[in-house]
Amino acid sequence: MDVLVIGGGQAGLAAGYFLRRTGLSFAILDAAEEPGGAWRHGWDSLTLFSPAQHSSLPGWPMPVPAGGGYPPRDAVIAYLAAYEARYALPVRRPLRVTGVRRAAEGLVAEAATGERLAARAFISATGTWSRPFIPAIPGGETFAGRQIHSAQYRRPEAFAGLSVLVVGGGNSGAQILAEISRYAARATWVTEREPVFLPDDVDGRVLFERATARWEAERAGLPPPAQLGGLGNVVMVAAVREARARGVLGSVRPFQRLEPGAAVWPDGTRIAADAIIWCTGFGPALDHLAPLGLAGAEGRVAVGAEGQAVGEPRLWLLGYGDWTGMASATLAGITRAARGTVAGIAASLVPSFVPPAAG
Ligand code: FAD
Protein backbone atom coordinates (compact mmCIF):
# COMPACT_ATOMS: atom_id res chain seq x y z
CA MET A 1 0.00 0.00 0.00
CA ASP A 2 1.32 3.46 -0.87
CA VAL A 3 -0.76 5.64 1.47
CA LEU A 4 -2.97 4.99 4.48
CA VAL A 5 -5.28 7.76 5.67
CA ILE A 6 -6.31 7.51 9.32
CA GLY A 7 -9.74 9.12 9.79
CA GLY A 8 -12.68 9.24 7.38
CA GLY A 9 -14.21 12.63 8.21
CA GLN A 10 -14.21 15.54 5.79
CA ALA A 11 -10.38 15.80 5.87
CA GLY A 12 -9.85 12.09 5.15
CA LEU A 13 -12.36 12.18 2.28
CA ALA A 14 -10.79 15.28 0.72
CA ALA A 15 -7.42 13.53 0.89
CA GLY A 16 -9.00 10.49 -0.78
CA TYR A 17 -10.32 12.64 -3.62
CA PHE A 18 -6.85 13.93 -4.45
CA LEU A 19 -5.13 10.57 -3.83
CA ARG A 20 -7.41 9.00 -6.48
CA ARG A 21 -5.97 11.38 -9.04
CA THR A 22 -2.36 10.41 -8.30
CA GLY A 23 -2.64 6.73 -9.17
CA LEU A 24 -1.14 5.78 -5.80
CA SER A 25 -2.78 2.88 -3.94
CA PHE A 26 -4.49 4.01 -0.74
CA ALA A 27 -7.13 3.22 1.87
CA ILE A 28 -8.97 5.29 4.48
CA LEU A 29 -9.30 3.76 7.94
CA ASP A 30 -12.16 5.19 9.99
CA ALA A 31 -13.05 4.30 13.58
CA ALA A 32 -16.67 5.44 13.22
CA GLU A 33 -19.54 3.06 12.47
CA GLU A 34 -20.92 5.33 9.75
CA PRO A 35 -19.85 8.23 7.51
CA GLY A 36 -19.97 11.85 8.69
CA GLY A 37 -16.97 12.29 11.02
CA ALA A 38 -17.52 14.79 13.82
CA TRP A 39 -20.82 15.97 12.37
CA ARG A 40 -22.46 12.76 13.64
CA HIS A 41 -21.87 14.01 17.18
CA GLY A 42 -23.07 17.61 16.82
CA TRP A 43 -26.11 18.79 18.72
CA ASP A 44 -29.55 18.42 17.15
CA SER A 45 -29.99 22.04 16.01
CA LEU A 46 -26.39 22.51 14.77
CA THR A 47 -26.19 24.16 11.36
CA LEU A 48 -23.26 25.25 9.24
CA PHE A 49 -22.49 28.93 9.52
CA SER A 50 -21.65 29.18 5.82
CA PRO A 51 -23.98 28.57 2.90
CA ALA A 52 -23.71 25.21 1.11
CA GLN A 53 -22.06 26.82 -1.92
CA HIS A 54 -19.07 27.71 0.27
CA SER A 55 -18.88 24.48 2.24
CA SER A 56 -18.01 21.99 -0.46
CA LEU A 57 -15.37 19.32 -0.64
CA PRO A 58 -13.28 19.11 -3.83
CA GLY A 59 -15.06 18.08 -7.00
CA TRP A 60 -18.71 18.02 -5.94
CA PRO A 61 -20.64 21.01 -4.53
CA MET A 62 -22.72 20.47 -1.40
CA PRO A 63 -26.42 20.47 -2.40
CA VAL A 64 -28.29 23.64 -1.36
CA PRO A 65 -30.96 22.69 1.21
CA ALA A 66 -34.59 22.90 0.06
CA GLY A 67 -35.84 26.31 1.17
CA GLY A 68 -32.31 27.78 1.30
CA GLY A 69 -30.60 28.76 4.52
CA TYR A 70 -27.56 27.19 6.16
CA PRO A 71 -27.34 23.39 5.88
CA PRO A 72 -28.33 21.55 9.07
CA ARG A 73 -26.12 18.88 10.68
CA ASP A 74 -27.93 15.98 9.04
CA ALA A 75 -27.54 17.51 5.57
CA VAL A 76 -23.77 17.68 6.10
CA ILE A 77 -23.70 14.03 7.22
CA ALA A 78 -25.74 13.01 4.17
CA TYR A 79 -23.40 14.99 1.90
CA LEU A 80 -20.29 13.33 3.34
CA ALA A 81 -21.88 9.86 2.99
CA ALA A 82 -22.89 10.56 -0.61
CA TYR A 83 -19.45 12.04 -1.35
CA GLU A 84 -17.53 8.94 -0.40
CA ALA A 85 -19.96 6.77 -2.39
CA ARG A 86 -19.78 9.08 -5.41
CA TYR A 87 -15.99 8.83 -5.61
CA ALA A 88 -15.95 5.17 -4.49
CA LEU A 89 -13.45 6.06 -1.81
CA PRO A 90 -11.94 2.94 -0.21
CA VAL A 91 -13.04 3.52 3.39
CA ARG A 92 -12.66 0.67 5.88
CA ARG A 93 -15.09 1.21 8.73
CA PRO A 94 -15.20 0.71 11.64
CA LEU A 95 -11.45 0.29 12.07
CA ARG A 96 -9.69 2.17 14.85
CA VAL A 97 -5.95 2.69 14.60
CA THR A 98 -4.49 2.32 18.07
CA GLY A 99 -0.87 3.04 17.21
CA VAL A 100 1.49 3.95 14.36
CA ARG A 101 5.02 2.58 14.71
CA ARG A 102 8.29 2.44 12.85
CA ALA A 103 8.98 -1.13 11.71
CA ALA A 104 11.35 -2.93 9.35
CA GLU A 105 8.80 -2.66 6.51
CA GLY A 106 8.24 1.08 7.07
CA LEU A 107 5.52 2.77 9.08
CA VAL A 108 2.89 0.35 10.34
CA ALA A 109 -0.58 1.05 11.73
CA GLU A 110 -1.85 -1.27 14.44
CA ALA A 111 -5.63 -1.57 14.47
CA ALA A 112 -7.95 -2.40 17.35
CA THR A 113 -8.71 -5.65 15.48
CA GLY A 114 -5.05 -6.71 15.89
CA GLU A 115 -4.31 -6.14 12.19
CA ARG A 116 -1.01 -4.52 11.13
CA LEU A 117 -1.17 -2.36 8.02
CA ALA A 118 2.01 -1.02 6.43
CA ALA A 119 2.26 1.89 4.00
CA ARG A 120 4.93 4.07 2.45
CA ALA A 121 3.21 7.21 3.79
CA PHE A 122 0.49 7.99 6.33
CA ILE A 123 -1.97 10.85 6.58
CA SER A 124 -3.37 11.40 10.06
CA ALA A 125 -6.81 13.06 9.79
CA THR A 126 -8.44 12.12 13.08
CA GLY A 127 -9.91 15.53 13.93
CA THR A 128 -10.51 17.00 17.37
CA TRP A 129 -14.02 16.01 18.39
CA SER A 130 -12.89 13.18 20.68
CA ARG A 131 -10.56 15.56 22.60
CA PRO A 132 -12.85 18.12 24.28
CA PHE A 133 -10.93 20.66 26.37
CA ILE A 134 -12.20 21.78 29.79
CA PRO A 135 -10.04 24.26 31.74
CA ALA A 136 -8.99 23.38 35.29
CA ILE A 137 -10.91 25.59 37.76
CA PRO A 138 -10.30 25.59 41.52
CA GLY A 139 -13.10 23.57 43.13
CA GLY A 140 -14.15 22.10 39.79
CA GLU A 141 -14.16 18.57 41.19
CA THR A 142 -16.43 19.63 44.10
CA PHE A 143 -19.20 20.99 41.86
CA ALA A 144 -22.24 18.82 42.58
CA GLY A 145 -24.24 19.67 39.47
CA ARG A 146 -23.93 18.37 35.96
CA GLN A 147 -20.88 19.31 33.86
CA ILE A 148 -20.71 18.53 30.17
CA HIS A 149 -18.66 19.73 27.23
CA SER A 150 -20.38 21.03 24.10
CA ALA A 151 -19.21 17.77 22.46
CA GLN A 152 -21.76 15.93 24.65
CA TYR A 153 -24.56 18.49 24.35
CA ARG A 154 -27.60 17.36 22.35
CA ARG A 155 -30.71 19.45 23.07
CA PRO A 156 -31.93 22.16 25.49
CA GLU A 157 -34.94 20.39 27.01
CA ALA A 158 -32.61 18.45 29.34
CA PHE A 159 -31.84 21.75 31.11
CA ALA A 160 -35.44 22.92 31.61
CA GLY A 161 -35.93 24.78 34.90
CA LEU A 162 -32.22 24.71 35.85
CA SER A 163 -29.68 27.43 36.49
CA VAL A 164 -27.08 26.84 33.76
CA LEU A 165 -23.66 28.37 33.16
CA VAL A 166 -22.63 28.34 29.51
CA VAL A 167 -18.87 28.91 29.36
CA GLY A 168 -17.14 30.03 26.15
CA GLY A 169 -17.51 33.01 23.82
CA GLY A 170 -17.31 31.36 20.39
CA ASN A 171 -20.03 30.08 18.10
CA SER A 172 -20.73 26.96 20.16
CA GLY A 173 -21.25 29.02 23.31
CA ALA A 174 -23.47 31.55 21.54
CA GLN A 175 -25.65 28.93 19.84
CA ILE A 176 -26.05 26.77 22.93
CA LEU A 177 -26.80 29.79 25.13
CA ALA A 178 -29.39 30.93 22.57
CA GLU A 179 -31.44 27.74 22.84
CA ILE A 180 -30.75 26.90 26.50
CA SER A 181 -32.04 30.35 27.52
CA ARG A 182 -35.49 29.38 26.24
CA TYR A 183 -35.73 26.47 28.72
CA ALA A 184 -33.45 27.17 31.69
CA ALA A 185 -34.70 29.05 34.76
CA ARG A 186 -31.49 31.06 34.49
CA ALA A 187 -28.82 30.98 31.78
CA THR A 188 -25.54 32.80 32.48
CA TRP A 189 -23.08 33.24 29.64
CA VAL A 190 -19.48 33.27 30.88
CA THR A 191 -16.87 34.48 28.39
CA GLU A 192 -13.23 35.45 28.77
CA ARG A 193 -13.89 38.81 27.17
CA GLU A 194 -16.83 40.57 25.54
CA PRO A 195 -17.86 38.31 22.60
CA VAL A 196 -17.35 39.74 19.11
CA PHE A 197 -20.64 39.63 17.20
CA LEU A 198 -20.40 39.91 13.45
CA PRO A 199 -22.80 42.06 11.45
CA ASP A 200 -25.97 40.14 10.57
CA ASP A 201 -25.02 39.90 6.88
CA VAL A 202 -21.56 38.41 7.56
CA ASP A 203 -21.44 34.62 7.51
CA GLY A 204 -18.71 32.01 7.82
CA ARG A 205 -17.69 32.53 4.20
CA VAL A 206 -16.61 36.11 4.88
CA LEU A 207 -14.84 35.00 8.05
CA PHE A 208 -12.95 32.45 6.01
CA GLU A 209 -11.92 35.05 3.44
CA ARG A 210 -10.72 37.45 6.14
CA ALA A 211 -8.84 34.73 7.99
CA THR A 212 -7.18 33.74 4.70
CA ALA A 213 -6.13 37.33 4.01
CA ARG A 214 -4.61 37.57 7.50
CA TRP A 215 -2.79 34.26 7.08
CA GLU A 216 -1.41 35.24 3.69
CA ALA A 217 -0.22 38.61 5.03
CA GLU A 218 1.48 36.86 7.94
CA ARG A 219 3.27 34.45 5.60
CA ALA A 220 4.41 37.33 3.40
CA GLY A 221 5.70 39.22 6.45
CA LEU A 222 3.16 42.04 5.91
CA PRO A 223 1.06 43.78 8.59
CA PRO A 224 -2.39 42.17 9.10
CA PRO A 225 -5.23 43.63 7.01
CA ALA A 226 -7.37 46.22 8.83
CA GLN A 227 -10.66 44.30 8.64
CA LEU A 228 -11.59 42.48 11.81
CA GLY A 229 -13.21 39.07 12.06
CA GLY A 230 -11.82 35.61 12.68
CA LEU A 231 -13.18 32.08 12.73
CA GLY A 232 -13.85 32.44 16.49
CA ASN A 233 -16.19 35.42 16.14
CA VAL A 234 -19.92 34.90 16.58
CA VAL A 235 -21.90 34.48 13.37
CA MET A 236 -25.47 35.79 13.80
CA VAL A 237 -27.32 32.65 12.75
CA ALA A 238 -31.11 32.76 13.18
CA ALA A 239 -31.11 31.30 16.71
CA VAL A 240 -28.54 33.83 17.93
CA ARG A 241 -30.42 36.74 16.34
CA GLU A 242 -33.59 35.54 18.05
CA ALA A 243 -31.74 35.38 21.40
CA ARG A 244 -30.51 38.94 20.86
CA ALA A 245 -34.10 40.06 20.24
CA ARG A 246 -35.04 38.50 23.61
CA GLY A 247 -32.18 40.43 25.24
CA VAL A 248 -30.38 37.35 26.58
CA LEU A 249 -27.01 37.71 24.84
CA GLY A 250 -25.32 39.52 27.74
CA SER A 251 -22.21 37.89 29.18
CA VAL A 252 -20.06 38.04 32.32
CA ARG A 253 -16.33 37.47 32.73
CA PRO A 254 -14.95 34.17 34.14
CA PHE A 255 -15.69 32.99 37.66
CA GLN A 256 -12.76 32.28 39.95
CA ARG A 257 -13.81 29.01 41.57
CA LEU A 258 -16.61 26.50 41.88
CA GLU A 259 -18.39 25.29 44.99
CA PRO A 260 -20.76 22.32 45.21
CA GLY A 261 -23.78 24.41 44.13
CA ALA A 262 -22.39 27.67 42.80
CA ALA A 263 -19.79 29.60 40.84
CA VAL A 264 -17.95 32.38 42.67
CA TRP A 265 -16.40 35.50 41.09
CA PRO A 266 -13.34 37.43 42.33
CA ASP A 267 -15.57 40.20 43.81
CA GLY A 268 -17.52 37.65 45.86
CA THR A 269 -20.51 37.44 43.50
CA ARG A 270 -22.01 33.96 43.70
CA ILE A 271 -24.44 32.41 41.22
CA ALA A 272 -26.19 29.20 42.22
CA ALA A 273 -25.79 26.70 39.38
CA ASP A 274 -27.23 23.25 38.60
CA ALA A 275 -25.25 22.66 35.41
CA ILE A 276 -22.25 23.89 33.43
CA ILE A 277 -21.83 23.50 29.70
CA TRP A 278 -18.19 24.00 28.71
CA CYS A 279 -17.93 25.38 25.16
CA THR A 280 -14.19 25.70 25.51
CA GLY A 281 -12.85 24.02 22.41
CA PHE A 282 -10.95 20.91 21.49
CA GLY A 283 -7.42 19.55 21.17
CA PRO A 284 -6.07 17.26 18.43
CA ALA A 285 -6.86 13.51 18.70
CA LEU A 286 -3.33 12.17 18.25
CA ASP A 287 -3.02 9.30 20.77
CA HIS A 288 -2.41 6.86 17.93
CA LEU A 289 0.83 8.70 17.08
CA ALA A 290 2.27 8.34 20.60
CA PRO A 291 4.58 5.41 19.68
CA LEU A 292 6.39 7.72 17.22
CA GLY A 293 7.44 10.02 20.08
CA LEU A 294 6.59 13.22 18.21
CA ALA A 295 4.33 14.95 20.75
CA GLY A 296 5.07 18.64 21.23
CA ALA A 297 3.32 21.58 22.88
CA GLU A 298 -0.47 21.41 23.38
CA GLY A 299 -0.49 17.78 22.27
CA ARG A 300 0.48 18.79 18.74
CA VAL A 301 3.12 17.40 16.39
CA ALA A 302 5.57 19.84 14.76
CA VAL A 303 4.79 20.06 11.05
CA GLY A 304 6.43 21.72 8.07
CA ALA A 305 5.07 22.55 4.64
CA GLU A 306 1.76 20.88 3.76
CA GLY A 307 1.53 19.20 7.17
CA GLN A 308 4.57 16.92 6.88
CA ALA A 309 5.75 15.87 10.35
CA VAL A 310 9.14 17.36 11.12
CA GLY A 311 10.32 14.29 13.02
CA GLU A 312 8.91 11.65 10.65
CA PRO A 313 8.85 12.53 6.94
CA ARG A 314 6.55 9.60 6.08
CA LEU A 315 3.77 11.08 8.23
CA TRP A 316 1.50 14.00 7.28
CA LEU A 317 -1.14 15.70 9.43
CA LEU A 318 -4.31 17.03 7.83
CA GLY A 319 -7.23 18.96 9.36
CA TYR A 320 -7.01 19.81 13.10
CA GLY A 321 -6.70 23.60 12.66
CA ASP A 322 -4.55 26.40 11.30
CA TRP A 323 -1.37 24.82 12.65
CA THR A 324 -1.55 22.14 9.93
CA GLY A 325 -2.91 24.43 7.17
CA MET A 326 -5.01 27.57 7.01
CA ALA A 327 -8.64 26.82 8.07
CA SER A 328 -7.98 23.11 7.51
CA ALA A 329 -10.59 22.18 10.14
CA THR A 330 -13.36 23.69 8.00
CA LEU A 331 -15.14 22.47 4.90
CA ALA A 332 -14.12 25.66 3.11
CA GLY A 333 -10.45 25.24 3.95
CA ILE A 334 -9.91 21.50 3.62
CA THR A 335 -9.67 21.43 -0.19
CA ARG A 336 -6.55 23.57 -0.31
CA ALA A 337 -4.95 21.76 2.62
CA ALA A 338 -5.69 18.26 1.24
CA ARG A 339 -4.47 19.18 -2.24
CA GLY A 340 -1.18 20.40 -0.78
CA THR A 341 -0.70 17.38 1.46
CA VAL A 342 -1.38 14.89 -1.32
CA ALA A 343 0.88 16.77 -3.74
CA GLY A 344 3.63 16.66 -1.11
CA ILE A 345 3.19 12.92 -0.58
CA ALA A 346 3.05 12.19 -4.29
CA ALA A 347 6.20 14.20 -4.87
CA SER A 348 7.98 12.27 -2.13
CA LEU A 349 6.85 8.84 -3.40
CA VAL A 350 6.88 9.44 -7.16
CA PRO A 351 9.73 11.79 -8.05
CA SER A 352 8.29 12.43 -11.57
CA PHE A 353 4.86 13.39 -10.13
CA VAL A 354 3.26 16.52 -11.60
CA PRO A 355 0.47 17.92 -9.33
CA PRO A 356 -2.98 17.92 -11.02
CA ALA A 357 -4.53 21.29 -11.81
CA ALA A 358 -6.74 22.85 -9.12
CA GLY A 359 -10.35 21.67 -9.10
P1 FAD B 1 -13.58 14.68 12.01
O1 FAD B 1 -14.80 15.17 11.32
O2 FAD B 1 -13.58 14.66 13.50
O3 FAD B 1 -13.28 13.22 11.45
C1 FAD B 1 -12.27 12.43 12.02
C2 FAD B 1 -12.62 10.97 11.78
O4 FAD B 1 -11.51 10.21 12.23
C3 FAD B 1 -13.83 10.50 12.57
O5 FAD B 1 -14.69 9.76 11.73
C4 FAD B 1 -13.22 9.61 13.66
O6 FAD B 1 -14.07 8.52 14.00
C5 FAD B 1 -11.98 9.10 12.97
N1 FAD B 1 -10.92 8.72 13.89
C6 FAD B 1 -10.49 9.39 15.00
N2 FAD B 1 -9.48 8.71 15.58
C7 FAD B 1 -9.26 7.60 14.83
C8 FAD B 1 -8.34 6.51 14.90
N3 FAD B 1 -7.44 6.43 15.89
N4 FAD B 1 -8.40 5.55 13.96
C9 FAD B 1 -9.29 5.63 12.95
N5 FAD B 1 -10.18 6.64 12.82
C10 FAD B 1 -10.16 7.62 13.75
N6 FAD B 1 -16.78 23.55 10.02
C11 FAD B 1 -17.20 24.19 8.91
O7 FAD B 1 -16.58 24.07 7.87
N7 FAD B 1 -18.33 24.96 8.92
C12 FAD B 1 -19.07 25.11 10.03
O8 FAD B 1 -20.09 25.78 10.00
C13 FAD B 1 -18.65 24.45 11.22
N8 FAD B 1 -19.37 24.56 12.35
C14 FAD B 1 -18.91 23.94 13.47
C15 FAD B 1 -19.63 24.11 14.64
C16 FAD B 1 -19.19 23.52 15.80
C17 FAD B 1 -19.95 23.69 17.05
C18 FAD B 1 -17.99 22.76 15.81
C19 FAD B 1 -17.47 22.14 17.08
C20 FAD B 1 -17.29 22.57 14.64
C21 FAD B 1 -17.72 23.19 13.47
N9 FAD B 1 -17.03 23.05 12.29
C22 FAD B 1 -17.46 23.68 11.17
C23 FAD B 1 -15.77 22.27 12.25
C24 FAD B 1 -15.98 20.83 11.83
O9 FAD B 1 -17.07 20.21 12.41
C25 FAD B 1 -14.78 19.98 12.23
O10 FAD B 1 -13.67 20.77 12.40
C26 FAD B 1 -14.55 18.94 11.16
O11 FAD B 1 -15.51 17.92 11.33
C27 FAD B 1 -13.15 18.39 11.17
O12 FAD B 1 -13.04 17.41 10.14
P2 FAD B 1 -11.96 16.27 10.21
O13 FAD B 1 -12.20 15.38 9.07
O14 FAD B 1 -10.63 16.88 10.40
O15 FAD B 1 -12.28 15.52 11.59
Side-chain angles (χ1 to χ4, degrees):
M1 182 71 68
D2 290 319
V3 185
L4 280 173
V5 182
I6 307 172
Q10 62 200 39
L13 300 189
Y17 174 88
F18 288 113
L19 281 166
R20 266 241 176 287
R21 302 163 99 201
T22 63
L24 294 167
S25 60
F26 72 100
I28 301 171
L29 315 176
D30 190 28
E33 299 278 334
E34 289 171 37
W39 294 100
R40 297 176 65 238
H41 308 294
W43 58 86
D44 289 356
S45 67
L46 181 63
T47 60
L48 282 177
F49 48 67
S50 305
Q53 299 91 318
H54 297 282
S55 308
S56 299
L57 293 181
W60 184 42
M62 183 185 290
V64 176
Y70 299 125
R73 176 197 66 181
D74 290 348
V76 182
I77 296 170
Y79 170 65
L80 295 179
Y83 186 91
E84 64 180 61
R86 180 185 179 99
Y87 292 108
L89 295 175
V91 184
R92 284 194 58 189
R93 181 184 284 126
L95 192 71
R96 174 170 295 281
V97 172
T98 52
V100 177
R101 295 179 189 279
R102 297 181 185 93
E105 64 268 45
L107 284 188
V108 171
E110 294 168 348
T113 54
E115 264 179 280
R116 295 175 89 248
L117 299 113
R120 298 169 69 201
F122 276 78
I123 298 177
S124 182
T126 47
T128 61
W129 203 277
S130 60
R131 283 291 167 276
F133 169 75
I134 295 182
I137 300 286
E141 66 294 345
T142 68
F143 184 70
R146 193 169 161 210
Q147 294 193 62
I148 62 166
H149 188 274
S150 61
Q152 292 136 1
Y153 173 77
R154 289 293 166 271
R155 55 193 71 89
E157 289 84 345
F159 297 88
L162 303 183
S163 173
V164 184
L165 304 172
V166 178
V167 184
N171 284 287
S172 306
Q175 289 184 27
I176 291 175
L177 174 89
E179 62 179 25
I180 283 273
S181 60
R182 290 174 26 233
Y183 291 84
R186 178 176 191 177
T188 307
W189 195 16
V190 183
T191 67
E192 220 160 336
R193 55 191 76 85
E194 197 58 39
V196 181
F197 298 104
L198 291 157
D200 287 7
D201 59 347
V202 169
D203 64 28
R205 174 179 49 94
V206 179
L207 282 189
F208 176 75
E209 284 163 4
R210 290 180 184 174
T212 305
R214 238 195 333 271
W215 184 74
E216 283 170 350
E218 203 176 294
R219 286 200 355 156
L222 299 169
Q227 265 189 322
L228 289 173
L231 289 168
N233 297 163
V234 178
V235 178
M236 301 306 287
V237 296
V240 180
R241 288 202 303 273
E242 187 272 336
R244 179 182 60 194
R246 272 188 290 123
V248 298
L249 278 191
S251 62
V252 297
R253 303 293 77 78
F255 45 84
Q256 190 176 43
R257 62 188 167 86
L258 288 166
E259 294 179 347
V264 185
W265 274 257
D267 67 357
T269 303
R270 176 182 260 93
I271 293 185
D274 305 301
I276 306 174
I277 304 175
W278 297 96
C279 306
T280 39
F282 297 83
L286 297 178
D287 287 356
H288 59 292
L289 301 181
L292 296 173
L294 302 171
E298 298 178 53
R300 297 178 180 177
V301 165
V303 294
E306 316 298 5
Q308 187 172 25
V310 171
E312 175 46 81
R314 294 167 293 184
L315 173 69
W316 305 68
L317 283 86
L318 181 64
Y320 303 110
D322 286 350
W323 61 278
T324 60
M326 166 61 209
S328 61
T330 67
L331 285 158
I334 194 59
T335 294
R336 178 168 55 190
R339 184 193 293 121
T341 294
V342 171
I345 289 179
S348 73
L349 299 185
V350 186
S352 59
F353 175 76
V354 178

